[in-house]
Amino acid sequence: QVQLVESGGGLVQPGDSLRLSCAASGLTLHFYRMGWFRQVPGKEREGVSCISRAEDKYSDSVKGRFTVSRDSAKNTVYLEMNSLKPEDTAVYYCAVDPSSSPQCSLTPWGYEYWGQGTQVGVSS
């Protein structure tokens, strides 16, 4: 059965960095589109980043600060978050689209498997 487990969240100050991890079991991430999303209470889930066989993609709000990567040997995807801002505070989720589309998408449609989320707090 497919399982995604996020880790690496925490409470940091503005300007700090965090590295989120998404460890997968039940499928090989290398072959699938993986997305990172975040959500705060009262708001829609927001696509942050995507990595696929063909491309990487980032939302405008994080472009230049966040970097997505994959370690195939560990079957894990990472989200390196630098220069964190208070508005980055959210629960971050990883998700997998089993369709194996080579195109990245920052919308939740098509992502079938989701992790439980990891909390990121950025505050002075």
Side-chain angles (χ1 to χ4, degrees):
Q1 188 172 358
V2 175
Q3 184 178 25
L4 304 175
V5 180
E6 302 98 335
S7 62
L11 302 176
V12 298
Q13 299 183 68
D16 286 352
S17 298
L18 282 174
R19 188 195 192 200
L20 305 184
S21 300
C22 179
S25 61
L27 56 73
T28 301
L29 289 179
H30 178 77
F31 299 103
Y32 301 99
R33 179 171 66 184
M34 164 69 75
W36 283 98
F37 298 80
R38 65 187 182 187
Q39 189 168 29
V40 299
K43 293 187 177 181
E44 296 287 331
R45 189 164 295 187
E46 174 192 13
V48 174
S49 183
C50 173
I51 183 169
S52 70
R53 292 173 289 155
E55 62 179 350
D56 301 341
K57 194 172 184 177
Y58 302 90
S59 67
D60 290 339
S61 61
V62 308
K63 189 174 299 182
R65 299 188 297 119
F66 291 11
T67 302
V68 66
S69 62
R70 176 192 290 115
D71 187 333
S72 296
K74 297 181 178 180
N75 207 31
T76 299
V77 170
Y78 304 95
L79 184 67
E80 182 72 36
M81 305 186 296
N82 299 313
S83 301
L84 283 163
K85 304 176 180 179
E87 50 264 44
D88 295 319
T89 296
V91 177
Y92 284 72
Y93 301 88
C94 63
V96 172
D97 179 354
S99 70
S100 300
S101 173
Q103 298 178 334
C104 271
S105 174
L106 297 182
T107 62
W109 301 296
Y111 291 95
E112 181 176 345
Y113 305 110
W114 294 80
Q116 295 300 306
T118 184
Q119 176 70 55
V120 173
V122 186
S123 177
S124 298

